[in-house]
Amino acid sequence: MYSSILWDMGGTLIDTYPAVDNLLARIGYRTSAPTAAQLSEVAALRSVSIEHAMNKLHQLYGADLDALHAGYAELKETWRTRPAPLMSGARRVLGAVHDAGGLNLVATHRDRRSAENLLAAHGIEVDDMVCAPDGYERKPSPQMYQVLIERHHLDPATVIALGDRPIDVEAATAAGIRGYLLDHRGEEAGTLASLSDVLELIGEQV
């Protein structure tokens, strides 16, 4: 059984993407009520990265890059007092990891201030966190995972990485640990449909 988890943040630990997609679509398409098709297109672009989505909206539709960046910065600020919700089952998994004697560690592309604000707003304390803007390589580089594993002297055989994008699993594989992809739509074979599926991996029965 595994005991420690390397968490991605957005889309894995905290459900930030609906608000992000809506924001990008409203600004990118200049509408107050994005259509399902527009939100779907933005989600596909954002699955690469938020920066990628902004740049593509600018290229394809002439979206104002300054407005996109300003809107995203404002959204992150609102999360200090009105945070995006936790993913369903997250608290239970976090608790199960500690009950198993493991560590909850976060490796995120999010800037540290935003990440810490989101965690604090939910009253969540993780055991450690590395943020790419602090000077680490972004996934699929394994660097952030490697730093956390080495810093806490973890046996890679007892660690899993959870993420919502293929790059999370690619980074885990490169770091020599098992990576699991969360697919909340349940459309991809071999993926986890929810965080509840993680409990069996760390010894807790659902």
Side-chain angles (χ1 to χ4, degrees), residues 69-134:
H69 284 285
Y72 184 46
E74 182 178 347
L75 175 62
K76 289 191 292 185
E77 191 64 24
T78 67
W79 282 339
R80 296 184 64 181
T81 55
R82 291 177 289 146
L86 280 178
M87 299 299 294
S88 177
R91 287 192 190 277
R92 186 176 177 189
V93 174
L94 289 164
V97 166
H98 282 160
D99 289 345
L103 300 176
N104 288 299
L105 308 168
V106 173
T108 179
H109 291 172
R110 187 173 300 276
D111 66 273
R112 180 166 295 276
R113 180 168 178 257
S114 172
E116 290 179 343
N117 285 343
L118 278 170
L119 294 174
H122 283 290
I124 292 176
E125 293 185 6
V126 296
D127 297 292
D128 199 358
M129 177 168 63
V130 293
C131 303
D134 288 342

Side-chain angles (χ1 to χ4, degrees), residues 10 16 20-21 23 45 75 103-104 128 139 145 150 154 171 192 195 202:
T16 55
V20 171
D21 292 349
L23 170 78
L45 296 173
L75 175 62
L103 300 176
N104 288 299
D128 199 358
K139 305 166 197 172
Y145 290 158
E150 292 170 6
L154 298 176
L192 302 177
L195 287 178
I202 56 175

Side-chain angles (χ1 to χ4, degrees), residues 6-52:
L6 299 177
W7 294 83
D8 178 51
M9 183 165 279
T12 304
L13 181 57
I14 298 179
D15 194 10
T16 55
Y17 288 148
V20 171
D21 292 349
N22 185 270
L23 170 78
L24 297 180
R26 284 190 290 105
I27 297 174
Y29 300 109
R30 301 178 182 84
T31 178
S32 59
T35 66
Q38 290 170 333
L39 290 170
S40 179
E41 182 179 22
V42 166
L45 296 173
R46 184 262 306 146
S47 68
V48 178
S49 73
I50 293 173
E51 188 70 25
H52 172 78

